[in-house]
Every structure is written in C-alpha cells, then in structure tokens.
Amino acid sequence: MKKTLLSLLAVMGISLSAWCQETLLVGGDISVLPRYEEAKTSYYDNNGKKITDMLTYLKSEEVGWNALRVRLFVDPSGDSDPQVCQDLDYVVKLGKRIKAAGYTFMLDFHYSDTWADPSKQWTPESWLSLTQDELKQKIYDYTKECLQALVDADATPDYIQTGNEISYGMLWGAEGSNSYRCYTSSNANWPRFVALLSQASKACREVCPQAKIIIHTERAGNPSVLVGIYSRLAEVDYDVIGLSYYPFWHNGLSTLATSLNNLATNFPNKKVQIVETAYYYQWQPEKGQGIDYDFSSTWPVSKEGQAAFAQALIDELKKHPNVNGLYWWFPEENGNGSSAVKVLNGWVNRGLWNNSNHRAHPGLYVLKNFLGGEAGITPLRGERRESRGERFDLQGRKLPEGVSSRSGLTIYNGKVMRE
C-alpha cells in the first residue's frame, strides 16, 4: 500500500511530505471576530503593527493557518451572553468570507439556543413542544435548511460538526432536564441519540456530499469512556472524531496520548481532529475553582507558557498519524469590545491576543508548526548576540544571556526560532 501511494504521488509530481502537509489543518474558532470588528477593536501583530484584515493575516506566511471554525445556534437572541450571537444570518456572512479567503471551513452545529457542552444540551425553545418523532424530523429539516443557505451563499462548509461536545447525548429538553442523558455505563437513551445523529448526517450527505462529518466530544481526559462513546455510535454515518482538549480540564499530554492511541486502535478508519484547545496566558483560576488540573509548573501562565503549551501539544500530536486537524478556541479574544458594542461580559484570558494592549502572543505563530517539519521556525542567527529582546525556552522560562535551551528552540520576539 505504501509503495502504491508513493508511486501514485510520484506520477503526480507530489512528494510524500507535501501530500501529508496538504491533508493537515490548523487554525481556530473565530466565531466572535465579526463582533470585534463591529466594535472597531484593533488587532496588532507581535511587533505592534496594526492588522488591517484578520482573515488575510491569519492566512499569511507568518501565521500560516488554513482552516477556520464557526459555531451556529438556533435562536441566540434571548441569551444574555454577548458571545452567544451566531444565528444563521451571522454564520452565512462569516462563512462566505472564510470561503472567499480560501480557508477550509468547519461548521459547528450547537442544536441549541445557547452554549451546548457536557453539562448542558438544552433543546431550542421553539422545539420543546415536539414529540420524539417530530424532533428527529426537525433536526433533519433544520440541518438541511441551514446547509442549503450556506451553499446558496457560496459558503459551503468542508467539515460539519453535528453537535458540540455531545459526550452525554444531545437535545435533552428544557433547561435542567436530565431525562435523555447518555452514559457509557447504561443502555438508556443511546438509540434516541443514534437516531438524532443519523438524521443530521443524512441532511449533511444530501446537501454537502463532499463535506466530512465530525462527531465532537470532550472526554479526551478519560480514554476508556471516550472509546465507549464512539463504540456506541458505530451505526452513525460520520467521518472524523472531534475532540476538545484543554489540559486544565482533561489532564496532561500523556493522557491525551493514551486517548489518541486507543482511538487509532479501535477506530482505525477514523481521522481525529482537536477541534478545540487553549491555554491561559494570565489569571488562571485556582484548581477546584474553574479548573481541574494545574500545569503552571510545566507551562507557566504567561504568553510564553501559552506558546510552550502549543508547541508541546503539536509535538505530541505529530506522533499520531490519525490526527489531521488542530484548532485553537477563541483565538481572537481581544478585550470586552466598546461602549457601543459589548463583545464579552468578562475576559477569558486564553486567546492569542492580549486583552489590554491588543498585541498578538507568541502562540499565534507556533500553531503552523503542526503542518509538518519545522514550518515557522526561523534561525536566530545574530539576534541573540545583539541582545535586542528577551529569550525564553519552550517551557516559557527566561534564558540568561549566552545560555541555549536544551531543545535548541527559543521563543524570541514572539516567534519560535532555532539557535
């Protein structure tokens, strides 16, 4: 098989490394960017130069992203969180810009009026009166209508998430409902869950036959449960396993490695994408008060530590051939907006821009390294000798003058460089 692939690529004039790079995706979920643009929030690169067009800049050689993700709510108009604003009209407009700029576009259906995650999968208000059979028809109709609107606007998604972090099922009912939750330790509710996902997949195949379907969960920190979830969803038509991985919630990279190895063993025909990740650069909560694990001794809570986490994650992911995508969640975080346009109720502190000075963090320039080799790693040459800026190792520790990092890689002026 390997010889056949190599021969085919040779005939086509494509190297194996080039082919591999073309199949890899790196980027972020930029669902809030239009709100920041509406608020006239300024973005600057790591050198303080103003960025005039974010989509152009994120695709530049300096940043190197090739994929962007956007979430979709059913009717977010009643939510008090200004981040919850992505209705169909909003997503169609942003999706059209993403596709026009040449990105791979991932659409993230929440199937809710508000945030959908492991602790809440509330059914949209307008769907609450539906019977179970009507609900199955509704998810098909809604998915189809949304996708058709995107196709008609030249915003066809390339990847489609049919649900967001649906580790315990979806469409549980009114807020606070527990009746339809799914657990791997029980058979209850799984047939319903499979039927709903199958209806969503059917709509995706009909409207966007070239798109890949993603089932997104967030149990990367519990390898056995993760395998249990996807085993129970074996009858669903989908292509990619999507994972959220935040070390402060899902444990260290060794745990992630076990999860990825288990997925490769049990689901060898499924690619895996890290569709959400992030790390704090300031004001990380205390353990037990918003986070479950504290890795600040490994990756300091700083912009350098954030970049170090990004590189360490990439190093781990590159050991797993089944992984072909990496997305930073809310990279565009950049303050609360303006007096006229409120974007956030409060800082999250995990984005790739500084909430105060609006400058890009080093981590923004690290992520492209996922695409293969040492893309984006620049020789340091004479800069260190000129002492024009502080140098840090990949753990975010400041390096004394004349001392090299063990890896030979240094974070300098917001970039990863080889000494």
Side-chain angles (χ1 to χ4, degrees):
M1 175 64 184
K2 184 176 181 181
K3 288 184 178 180
T4 301
L5 175 60
L6 289 171
S7 299
L8 178 60
L9 293 173
V11 169
M12 297 172 65
I14 302 172
S15 69
L16 180 60
S17 61
W19 179 81
C20 290
Q21 182 161 328
E22 288 174 359
T23 64
L24 298 178
L25 300 170
V26 69
D29 185 318
I30 61 158
S31 297
V32 184
L33 179 61
R35 292 288 289 167
Y36 277 118
E37 293 172 334
E38 186 182 353
K40 302 188 184 310
T41 300
S42 295
Y43 285 83
Y44 300 90
D45 67 13
N46 57 303
N47 293 316
K49 182 180 178 181
K50 189 171 183 178
I51 299 167
T52 57
D53 186 317
M54 274 286 282
L55 293 190
T56 299
Y57 185 68
L58 293 175
K59 209 171 189 294
S60 68
E61 184 176 352
E62 190 172 8
V63 180
W65 288 10
N66 60 8
L68 296 172
R69 176 181 187 249
V70 179
R71 61 179 170 263
L72 172 62
F73 298 107
V74 176
D75 180 10
S77 60
D79 201 290
S80 61
D81 185 344
Q83 284 192 81
V84 181
C85 59
Q86 295 78 17
D87 61 12
L88 182 58
D89 181 63
Y90 181 110
V91 172
V92 166
K93 291 175 182 176
L94 181 54
K96 185 173 183 176
R97 291 174 58 192
I98 288 169
K99 293 291 286 191
Y103 289 93
T104 293
F105 174 33
M106 181 188 295
L107 176 66
D108 174 17
F109 278 102
H110 273 240
Y111 295 121
S112 182
D113 294 335
T114 188
W115 298 110
D117 58 41
S119 65
K120 50 186 182 296
Q121 294 281 337
W122 313 135
T123 301
E125 181 74 23
S126 60
W127 300 8
L128 285 174
S129 63
L130 300 178
T131 67
Q132 290 304 305
D133 286 340
E134 289 172 339
L135 189 61
K136 292 169 190 174
Q137 184 64 39
K138 185 63 177 180
I139 196 172
Y140 166 81
D141 292 340
Y142 170 77
T143 303
K144 190 169 184 176
E145 290 165 8
C146 291
L147 293 178
Q148 191 61 57
L150 287 160
V151 170
D152 292 345
D154 295 323
T156 304
D158 303 286
Y159 287 84
I160 305 168
Q161 277 187 221
T162 51
N164 188 79
E165 293 189 335
I166 50 175
S167 307
Y168 301 104
M170 64 196 306
L171 297 169
W172 292 343
E175 182 174 350
S177 301
N178 294 307
S179 301
Y180 295 112
R181 295 185 189 229
C182 297
Y183 299 96
T184 55
S185 58
S186 169
N187 293 325
N189 298 320
W190 286 96
R192 173 185 182 272
F193 187 19
V194 168
L196 289 168
L197 284 176
S198 296
Q199 285 288 86
S201 293
K202 179 183 176 184
C204 294
R205 297 299 190 208
E206 290 177 358
V207 183
C208 300
Q210 301 303 315
K212 302 292 186 183
I213 299 172
I214 300 175
I215 295 182
H216 173 207
T217 64
E218 52 60 72
R219 293 287 82 192
N222 195 325
S224 61
V225 169
L226 189 64
V227 169
I229 292 169
Y230 288 98
S231 295
R232 287 182 175 272
L233 299 178
E235 296 178 16
V236 179
D237 176 17
Y238 75 101
D239 306 290
V240 178
I241 293 172
L243 301 179
S244 292
Y245 173 68
Y246 301 92
F248 41 85
W249 289 325
H250 302 129
N251 214 335
L253 291 174
S254 60
T255 300
L256 175 63
T258 299
S259 290
L260 295 175
N261 288 334
N262 287 356
L263 292 174
T265 298
N266 289 277
F267 312 101
N269 297 322
K270 302 295 185 186
K271 286 295 186 180
V272 178
Q273 296 187 12
I274 305 300
V275 298
E276 292 186 23
T277 193
Y279 192 78
Y280 287 94
Y281 70 89
Q282 64 179 5
W283 299 337
Q284 175 178 272
E286 294 293 324
K287 184 177 176 180
Q289 298 180 23
I291 63 171
D292 299 316
Y293 303 95
D294 181 359
F295 285 96
S296 58
S297 62
T298 303
W299 308 299
V301 178
S302 65
K303 62 183 181 180
E304 293 80 19
Q306 184 187 61
F309 161 72
Q311 185 61 56
L313 174 60
I314 289 167
D315 291 343
E316 181 58 50
L317 295 180
K318 287 169 73 173
K319 299 174 186 176
H320 302 273
N322 56 329
V323 179
N324 71 344
L326 173 61
Y327 293 77
W328 198 272
W329 188 79
F330 196 19
E332 75 277 24
E333 180 187 359
N334 195 9
N336 288 337
S338 65
S339 57
V341 180
K342 189 174 186 180
V343 179
L344 298 181
N345 286 328
W347 293 356
V348 182
N349 300 307
R350 302 195 297 255
L352 296 177
W353 270 266
N354 187 283
N355 280 317
S356 298
N357 63 27
H358 311 301
R359 284 197 180 195
H361 291 161
L364 176 67
Y365 307 99
V366 170
L367 289 173
K368 63 185 172 186
N369 296 345
F370 176 71
L371 295 179
E374 291 186 341
I377 298 179
T378 306
L380 187 55
R381 298 192 180 98
E383 285 88 344
R384 177 164 61 93
R385 292 189 294 274
E386 296 175 20
S387 300
R388 293 190 298 183
E390 296 178 331
R391 299 157 47 252
F392 299 84
D393 65 16
L394 292 183
Q395 283 68 50
R397 296 181 291 247
K398 183 179 178 181
L399 292 170
E401 182 69 23
V403 175
S404 299
S405 66
R406 290 184 180 181
S407 67
L409 299 178
T410 296
I411 298 175
Y412 176 80
N413 279 352
K415 297 180 181 178
V416 177
M417 295 185 167
R418 181 171 292 286
E419 297 186 296

